[in-house]
Amino acid sequence: MDGTTARPTARARSWWGWGWTDAHPGDAECVAMGALLPGTLARPLPVPRVRDLDVRGPAVEAPQSLAHLVSADPADRAAHAMGKAYRDVARALRGQPGRIPDLVARPADEQGVADLLEWAGDRRIAVVPYGGGSSVSGGVEYRGDAHRAVLSLDLTAMGRVLDVDTAGRAARIQAGALGPGLEDQLRPHGLTLRHFPQSFEFSTLGGWLATRAGGHYATGRTHIDDFVQSMRVVTPAGTSGSWRLPASGAGPSPDRLFLGSEGALGVITEAWMRLQERPRHKASAAVAFSDFTAALRAVRDLAQSDLAPANCRLLDPGEAALSGAAHDGCSVLVLGFESAYEPVAGRLARAVELARSHGGRHDGSTGAGRGRGEAPAGDAAVSAWRAAFLRMPYLRDGLVRMGAVAETFETAATWDRVPALIDEVRGEVGAAALKATGHPATVNCRLTHVYPDGAAPYFTVLAAGRPGGEVALWDDLKAVAGEVLHRHRATITHHHAVGRDHRPGYDRQRPEPFALALRAAKGALDPRGILNPGVLVD
Amino acid sequence: MDGTTARPTARARSWWGWGWTDAHPGDAECVAMGALLPGTLARPLPVPRVRDLDVRGPAVEAPQSLAHLVSADPADRAAHAMGKAYRDVARALRGQPGRIPDLVARPADEQGVADLLEWAGDRRIAVVPYGGGSSVSGGVEYRGDAHRAVLSLDLTAMGRVLDVDTAGRAARIQAGALGPGLEDQLRPHGLTLRHFPQSFEFSTLGGWLATRAGGHYATGRTHIDDFVQSMRVVTPAGTSGSWRLPASGAGPSPDRLFLGSEGALGVITEAWMRLQERPRHKASAAVAFSDFTAALRAVRDLAQSDLAPANCRLLDPGEAALSGAAHDGCSVLVLGFESAYEPVAGRLARAVELARSHGGRHDGSTGAGRGRGEAPAGDAAVSAWRAAFLRMPYLRDGLVRMGAVAETFETAATWDRVPALIDEVRGEVGAAALKATGHPATVNCRLTHVYPDGAAPYFTVLAAGRPGGEVALWDDLKAVAGEVLHRHRATITHHHAVGRDHRPGYDRQRPEPFALALRAAKGALDPRGILNPGVLVD
């Protein structure tokens, strides 16, 4: 995905589900999908309407000086009540969304953010920073009742690229820039951030930074963290601005404390980001493996080589079938190379050869793109995977309308843990779903990012629901998965963030002295505890 | 440098100067060096002796249970009083070292560290963690009198590689491992950390981690930070152990808080480190430039390419002359490539061609090594630079014995700042030295590490001293340099750490909200304020 797709104007965002309403599958497509999953409903649940919700009036009113930044519109508020996790969509479909914020604020600049925080601090109002709203871990939802009111702080009115340093390949970008708008503003300079998470259209730079998002690159510098030159963060204790530096050894990195802070320590307002020239050379290929374990070894060797593929995604047989990359029970390795400087066909050929040495089969067809940011023409499996990748969240919501449990989660672990980890997640989550529903479930896996020392397995779970009890069923299945992750000391999240949903796993994973330090830092920066309460620390 | 040099046994470490006593320049060599620098002494200052110092008895005694870990030997204590900065060596030569610690402790395991911290906390004893003692920023020296006594916590008895994961290319290594011993233990596994700072022989893994050391690689992953898989840190509030993970997005990185914490938050006891296969292919070359500004542009283009040289060090004319790389007023770019997988001659050729397109001149000779970790045979300029690099700290001490001010400092800045920054440091520090001493000073610069968005300039200052007032003179010159750095928003240190000497610059650079968070973290982890007092925070 390259941000070049022309976007029709005036498309409507869904308040309850993924993305654009006009991209949602219709009832007939929902029924067709449901038919493939035993135990789902015969008819889809109706699309939920805000007017059917009991949206009470806001508990507070903004002062005159801030009124122009604030909306109390019920539809606006409902659309900011939750992120887009399975449990969010399922709750909305059942007419039981999370707590609807009292107000939505859209500051236009850093001073507006500071003013809103000051007002909220004085009034004990919880402030939930909100970018594109694509959180899949309960990161933008208020839970509890310790605050007088809840303010959703929507940053998307701050979406400009403010400065571009062409020679130094960097840009100062406001935190509320959504992916496509950000790339649109960089394109005239011949530069790109090249951060393309699945949520690209519906997530912001600030959200990526606050959650340590993973993006385009499957190897090397996979997380947004590595592309940060400096950041500005508004906290109730003052505004933090780090210097633009290519590197520094002066004490612990200030930026690394705010990266991953998920709105609990401050509100990121802008960052100088490291950019790249747009790639002029691309090549891709798909390699099939009969033996998933052999494929894992091939991918490990690739990650430990100096080939540095931009894409190196291994789909297990179920995932390959689901995305249309293969239907013969094979695993598929999707490889992609790109460079702004010189042809990459040689690197692709070496990678394919390496995969072959582990039993991979490649029919000889490769895709090569040359031009300004076009998606490469790949062979059929690559194209199928790419199209499915972007359509997946919409289809997920269609399945949820059929009463299914349909969700993903991800982790990362060292290579010695990866094979058993994948087996046990598939086995134990599948068994738990079968026991709970009486129907076999689908539990697929792909590796989204790979490293010399390990990999990030990404799981898809599709199961029949329990009418009215889908969310509790999912929570149970997720708890089973969490136990497997903990047993293998695999991280509770590689790039989906902690939010509120991953707190139990995060609290077990985080070293206790670091928890002490983080709580102390939170107390110093947010002494009244208004910033995204419940995220990371209590 | 590759750690393969056989070390004679029973060589003696200098208590006051760099490295091995038998590698120190003799009096005649000191005189010869001094003759090149106007205004220095006619005869070298005598080598200082511990027995001439007034070393008082320790103010505390270790309890029976810890006595076996503790030394009160005056020579041992004197050798732990300071690091190896110019101002440390100069003070020792004048018989005025920093505060000599009351005791030196050498714990053999993590429990020993915890026991020592507990005892020290109960007794209000300052604990100064000490690895190889190569700090050049006052990082291992106690200043002040707020504590009852000072304990130097020497980690070098914990120097073992405890576990090796060959398939995952990682090893669990104790923090007190010195560079050569660490590589010696990894070599049988065909693996290497490839972290070769100039201090390699005399610095430890724990020191590298605590100071965010820069190492071998001039591009890409230059800092030790990126090679950390997990860490264990003993704090007065408990022991922190992060999980072995190839990557994670679960909240702010715990490791990144302790990386660069310089002993102020806890004592690093071990880490799982990411390793690499030993390179089998190497190639190097030197390119001369008549125009330093053109050379800067060439290096920027190289850093922004995908060539990824392991070595990419640009020496200005003075630095090239000092190291013997060139004597014709040219700047010299030292290039090196290496790979464990395939020949690198092609990448070297492309890099040389790129340098030529900016006016660089290359005589066609390149060095290529092939084998197990041998230093590559380079052409004459490369070899001269490499030899000078390792001998430099010894020669520095020889000059100091001649009464000279001889020191280095380093920074990093974005490319737009680099040319003026270098000019102004050279000009303003040179002018200040001339004014203070009446003699022209040498102020040279090289780029040690380069990035797509900036570079790390490294300065060498050689000036006549003011007998008895050398340290104050240096502090004045460093303050002048600090002002230039601050004016350009260049970091106070790229990889030499903050210690105590860089506190003024660090305090100005650090965002105030981060300072609040760091102080709060320090208060939570070290509530009695015993850990390396004065470093990073007060």
Side-chain angles (χ1 to χ4, degrees):
Chain A
M1 180 149 79
D2 219 332
T4 48
T5 318
R7 280 177 303 145
T9 52
R11 295 179 76 181
R13 284 284 302 275
S14 170
W15 80 268
W16 64 275
W18 189 257
W20 308 111
T21 53
D22 61 16
H24 285 196
D27 286 4
E29 191 177 357
C30 292
V31 170
M33 284 193 291
L36 301 174
L37 195 64
T40 50
L41 306 173
R43 265 188 301 236
L45 296 167
V47 171
R49 298 178 302 187
V50 172
R51 66 171 178 269
D52 295 333
L53 299 175
D54 176 25
V55 182
R56 276 168 289 181
V60 288
E61 197 177 330
Q64 188 77 32
S65 61
L66 299 173
H68 63 294
L69 303 177
V70 169
S71 156
D73 171 62
D76 207 3
R77 291 165 56 199
H80 285 76
M82 300 184 296
K84 302 298 182 193
Y86 162 74
R87 62 197 317 289
D88 304 334
V89 173
R91 285 184 293 165
L93 283 168
R94 294 291 180 185
Q96 295 164 336
R99 159 118 176 216
I100 291 171
D102 295 271
L103 297 170
V104 176
R106 290 186 175 82
D109 54 26
E110 195 174 280
Q111 188 59 51
V113 175
D115 292 343
L116 287 159
L117 289 193
E118 188 179 350
W119 169 63
D122 288 344
R123 304 297 167 99
R124 213 166 39 80
I125 299 169
V127 177
V128 180
Y130 188 101
S134 65
S135 170
V136 288
S137 57
V140 294
E141 170 186 352
Y142 182 81
R143 294 180 194 165
D145 54 9
H147 295 78
R148 178 189 297 178
V150 177
L151 176 74
S152 179
L153 188 64
D154 184 317
L155 275 296
T156 52
M158 296 169 63
R160 282 184 303 146
V161 172
L162 300 172
D163 279 303
V164 178
D165 171 0
T166 309
R169 298 200 323 197
R172 184 160 71 99
I173 307 171
Q174 290 185 304
L178 290 153
L182 187 162
E183 289 291 338
D184 286 349
Q185 293 175 79
L186 295 177
R187 194 170 298 103
H189 302 276
L191 294 168
T192 170
L193 180 60
R194 295 201 80 57
H195 183 76
F196 303 122
Q198 195 173 23
S199 62
F200 178 71
E201 273 185 284
F202 309 110
S203 54
T204 61
L205 175 64
W208 301 337
L209 297 172
T211 60
R212 301 176 65 192
H216 175 68
Y217 293 102
T219 68
R221 308 202 150 176
T222 57
H223 279 80
I224 194 77
D225 313 33
D226 289 322
F227 298 95
V228 175
Q229 199 177 60
S230 72
M231 283 165 67
R232 288 186 67 82
V233 186
V234 178
T235 83
T239 297
S240 177
S242 57
W243 290 2
R244 280 186 70 192
L245 292 172
S248 177
S253 163
D255 295 336
R256 295 278 182 173
L257 180 65
F258 292 111
L259 287 164
S261 62
E262 304 193 12
L265 300 181
V267 179
I268 298 165
T269 53
E270 63 176 61
W272 272 97
M273 298 298 297
R274 299 183 181 121
L275 306 175
Q276 294 169 74
E277 290 181 50
R278 307 187 77 78
R280 277 179 281 272
H281 307 276
K282 297 185 181 183
S284 56
V287 181
F289 290 85
S290 306
D291 178 352
F292 185 65
T293 309
L296 285 175
R297 283 194 298 267
V299 171
R300 189 187 70 198
D301 271 13
L302 269 169
Q304 292 181 349
S305 75
D306 53 1
L307 291 167
N311 198 358
C312 185
R313 284 169 166 82
L314 175 63
L315 320 181
D316 78 356
E319 191 74 8
L322 197 67
S323 64
H327 293 285
D328 56 0
C330 282
S331 305
V332 174
L333 174 60
V334 179
L335 287 170
F337 288 84
E338 56 182 47
S339 169
Y341 310 100
E342 59 162 23
V344 291
R347 277 155 70 201
L348 178 64
R350 281 176 57 207
V352 167
E353 197 46 49
L354 187 153
R356 275 191 170 131
S357 75
H358 287 276
R361 294 184 313 281
H362 176 63
D363 65 7
S365 73
T366 57
R370 190 184 166 87
R372 297 185 172 276
E374 296 91 335
D379 60 15
V382 175
S383 299
W385 173 80
R386 190 174 290 270
F389 177 67
L390 295 179
R391 180 107 173 102
M392 203 68 82
Y394 291 106
L395 299 182
R396 191 270 313 258
D397 291 353
L399 274 171
V400 183
R401 288 186 60 206
M402 297 306 296
V405 168
E407 182 57 304
T408 63
F409 60 91
E410 34 81 84
T411 184
T414 46
W415 284 114
D416 55 330
R417 307 282 190 165
V418 167
L421 168 70
I422 294 174
D423 272 356
E424 291 168 29
V425 167
R426 277 196 293 229
E428 296 181 27
V429 174
L434 177 61
K435 187 172 170 195
T437 68
H439 298 283
T442 295
V443 186
N444 296 333
C445 180
R446 62 180 192 259
L447 302 188
T448 59
H449 301 79
V450 294
Y451 303 89
D453 54 335
Y458 190 107
F459 296 93
T460 301
V461 178
L462 304 175
R466 271 190 313 229
E470 298 95 340
V471 171
L473 170 60
W474 170 247
D475 288 346
D476 290 346
L477 297 181
K478 188 70 183 288
V480 169
E483 284 305 314
V484 179
L485 267 47
H486 185 260
R487 191 189 309 148
H488 287 283
R489 298 295 184 268
T491 183
I492 192 65
T493 177
H494 172 268
H495 62 271
H496 278 178
V498 177
R500 291 164 182 83
D501 296 346
H502 288 148
R503 274 296 299 281
Y506 175 64
D507 288 1
R508 288 203 285 181
Q509 174 177 340
R510 178 178 55 188
E512 189 49 34
F514 181 72
L516 289 176
L518 192 60
R519 276 186 218 113
K522 166 94 174 168
L525 299 180
D526 178 25
R528 296 192 264 204
I530 59 167
L531 284 174
N532 219 4
V535 160
L536 296 184
V537 292
D538 291 319
Chain B
M1 183 148 80
D2 220 332
T4 48
T5 319
R7 279 177 303 144
T9 51
R11 295 178 77 181
R13 283 285 303 274
S14 170
W15 79 269
W16 64 274
W18 189 256
W20 307 112
T21 53
D22 61 17
H24 284 196
D27 286 3
E29 192 177 355
C30 291
V31 170
M33 284 192 292
L36 301 175
L37 195 65
T40 49
L41 305 174
R43 266 188 298 236
L45 296 168
V47 170
R49 298 178 301 187
V50 172
R51 66 171 177 269
D52 296 333
L53 300 174
D54 175 27
V55 183
R56 277 168 289 182
V60 290
E61 196 177 331
Q64 189 74 34
S65 61
L66 298 172
H68 64 292
L69 303 178
V70 169
S71 155
D73 172 62
D76 207 3
R77 291 164 56 200
H80 286 76
M82 300 183 296
K84 301 298 181 193
Y86 162 75
R87 62 197 316 290
D88 304 335
V89 173
R91 284 184 293 164
L93 283 168
R94 295 291 180 184
Q96 296 165 337
R99 158 116 178 218
I100 291 171
D102 296 271
L103 297 168
V104 176
R106 290 186 175 80
D109 54 25
E110 195 173 282
Q111 188 59 51
V113 175
D115 293 344
L116 286 159
L117 289 193
E118 188 179 351
W119 170 63
D122 288 344
R123 305 295 168 100
R124 215 167 35 81
I125 298 169
V127 177
V128 179
Y130 189 101
S134 65
S135 169
V136 289
S137 58
V140 293
E141 171 186 352
Y142 182 81
R143 294 179 194 166
D145 54 7
H147 294 80
R148 177 189 298 180
V150 177
L151 177 75
S152 181
L153 188 64
D154 184 317
L155 276 297
T156 52
M158 297 169 62
R160 282 184 305 145
V161 172
L162 300 171
D163 279 304
V164 178
D165 171 359
T166 308
R169 297 202 324 197
R172 184 159 71 99
I173 307 172
Q174 288 185 305
L178 289 153
L182 187 161
E183 289 289 338
D184 286 349
Q185 293 175 80
L186 295 177
R187 194 170 298 104
H189 303 276
L191 295 167
T192 170
L193 180 59
R194 293 201 81 56
H195 183 76
F196 303 122
Q198 195 172 23
S199 62
F200 177 71
E201 273 186 284
F202 310 109
S203 55
T204 61
L205 175 65
W208 302 338
L209 298 172
T211 61
R212 301 176 65 192
H216 174 69
Y217 293 103
T219 68
R221 307 203 151 177
T222 57
H223 279 79
I224 194 77
D225 313 32
D226 289 321
F227 299 95
V228 175
Q229 200 177 60
S230 72
M231 283 165 66
R232 289 186 67 83
V233 186
V234 178
T235 83
T239 297
S240 176
S242 57
W243 290 2
R244 280 187 70 191
L245 292 171
S248 177
S253 163
D255 295 335
R256 297 277 181 171
L257 180 66
F258 291 112
L259 287 163
S261 62
E262 303 193 13
L265 300 182
V267 179
I268 298 164
T269 53
E270 62 176 60
W272 273 97
M273 298 298 298
R274 299 182 181 123
L275 307 175
Q276 294 169 74
E277 289 181 52
R278 308 187 76 79
R280 277 179 283 271
H281 308 278
K282 297 186 182 181
S284 56
V287 181
F289 290 85
S290 307
D291 177 353
F292 185 66
T293 309
L296 285 175
R297 283 195 298 267
V299 171
R300 189 188 71 199
D301 270 13
L302 270 168
Q304 293 181 348
S305 75
D306 53 2
L307 291 168
N311 198 358
C312 185
R313 283 168 167 83
L314 176 63
L315 319 181
D316 77 358
E319 191 75 7
L322 196 69
S323 65
H327 294 284
D328 56 359
C330 282
S331 306
V332 173
L333 174 60
V334 179
L335 286 169
F337 288 84
E338 56 182 48
S339 169
Y341 310 99
E342 59 162 21
V344 291
R347 277 156 70 201
L348 179 64
R350 280 175 59 207
V352 168
E353 197 46 48
L354 188 153
R356 276 190 171 134
S357 75
H358 287 277
R361 294 185 312 281
H362 175 62
D363 65 6
S365 73
T366 58
R370 192 185 163 85
R372 296 186 174 275
E374 298 90 335
D379 60 15
V382 174
S383 299
W385 173 79
R386 190 174 290 270
F389 177 68
L390 295 178
R391 180 108 173 100
M392 203 67 83
Y394 290 107
L395 299 183
R396 193 272 311 260
D397 291 355
L399 273 171
V400 183
R401 286 186 62 206
M402 297 305 296
V405 168
E407 183 57 305
T408 63
F409 60 91
E410 34 82 83
T411 183
T414 47
W415 284 114
D416 54 332
R417 306 282 191 165
V418 166
L421 168 70
I422 294 175
D423 272 356
E424 291 167 30
V425 166
R426 278 197 292 228
E428 296 181 27
V429 174
L434 177 61
K435 188 172 169 194
T437 68
H439 297 284
T442 295
V443 186
N444 296 333
C445 180
R446 63 181 191 261
L447 302 188
T448 59
H449 300 80
V450 294
Y451 302 89
D453 55 336
Y458 189 106
F459 296 93
T460 301
V461 178
L462 305 175
R466 271 189 313 228
E470 298 94 343
V471 172
L473 171 59
W474 170 247
D475 288 347
D476 290 346
L477 297 181
K478 189 70 183 290
V480 169
E483 283 305 313
V484 179
L485 266 47
H486 185 259
R487 191 188 309 148
H488 287 283
R489 297 295 184 272
T491 182
I492 192 66
T493 176
H494 173 267
H495 62 271
H496 279 179
V498 176
R500 291 163 181 86
D501 296 346
H502 288 147
R503 273 298 298 281
Y506 175 65
D507 287 1
R508 289 205 285 183
Q509 173 177 341
R510 178 178 56 187
E512 189 49 35
F514 181 71
L516 289 175
L518 193 60
R519 276 185 218 113
K522 165 95 173 167
L525 298 181
D526 178 25
R528 294 193 266 203
I530 58 167
L531 283 174
N532 218 3
V535 160
L536 295 184
V537 292
D538 292 317

